[in-house]
Amino acid sequence: MKAVTRTPTTRSSLTRSGLLCSASLRRRQLLQAAAAASALALASSCAGSQSHRLICQHQRTGEVYAELNIDLGAIITHSWLHSIELSRWTDIYRFEAEQLMLISTEFEEYGAGMPLDEGDLTYRDGKIVIENIDRPFEAIGWIHSHRVDYRIGIDGDTGLIDTDQLPDREPIELRPR
């Protein structure tokens, strides 16, 4: 059996052969191209993006009670205890730039005044769920009452607006800007 002798590879021998230089050059070019692409993507997203806000305000006076940053596609829930059924009703909206799109609603009892002819109705976890409603709203408006335990959520967080601090028996709205 013949012994193979290997010459140790050193940085200087790779540099002399041009292998390290071309590999380093390629790596540097790739890093520069990636940095340029990242900078371009960041600049275009900043230039094209807008700051979106959800305003909780009085419908008549315009007094602002809360103003929150929201992202496109944010899910907004508006729920309360139904005054007759005494069970929670929840409307679910998706924020789409200038409007709120009602995408679904959930409640426990079906009765007078309930939606009949829109979306897909299912029964899930003890609730009637109507999905795929896709009805646009410029704002969500209601007469606020401290007796019905209103809750407003944004992407699952119901602590962003303290509904106990909203004025009782006054017209309130949530409006995107």
Side-chain angles (χ1 to χ4, degrees), residues 40-52 72 97:
L40 182 61
L42 179 62
S44 65
S45 72
C46 288
S49 72
Q50 296 177 356
S51 176
H52 299 287
L72 288 175

Side-chain angles (χ1 to χ4, degrees), residues 43-146:
S44 65
S45 72
C46 288
S49 72
Q50 296 177 356
S51 176
H52 299 287
R53 316 277 294 155
L54 184 67
I55 311 297
C56 180
Q57 66 185 10
H58 195 281
Q59 289 182 35
R60 288 190 303 260
T61 68
E63 181 180 354
V64 174
Y65 306 111
E67 189 169 343
L68 304 164
N69 289 325
I70 56 172
D71 296 324
L72 288 175
I75 299 299
I76 297 156
T77 56
H78 180 242
S79 72
W80 62 95
L81 291 178
H82 192 278
S83 61
I84 296 171
E85 304 297 334
L86 301 179
S87 61
R88 184 146 304 274
W89 180 299
T90 302
D91 285 339
I92 301 166
Y93 299 82
R94 183 179 52 244
F95 172 62
E96 295 183 354
E98 304 302 317
Q99 65 186 8
L100 299 168
M101 183 70 70
L102 178 64
I103 56 175
S104 66
T105 189
E106 300 175 359
F107 47 89
E108 291 179 22
E109 302 289 329
Y110 212 101
M114 306 294 190
L116 279 180
D117 57 354
E118 58 186 341
D120 303 319
L121 189 136
T122 57
Y123 187 74
R124 186 172 44 228
D125 298 325
K127 294 184 180 183
I128 297 165
V129 178
I130 303 175
E131 298 174 301
N132 301 314
I133 297 172
D134 298 330
R135 186 175 357 136
F137 286 82
E138 289 181 17
I140 303 167
W142 72 98
I143 304 298
H144 191 72
S145 171
H146 291 166

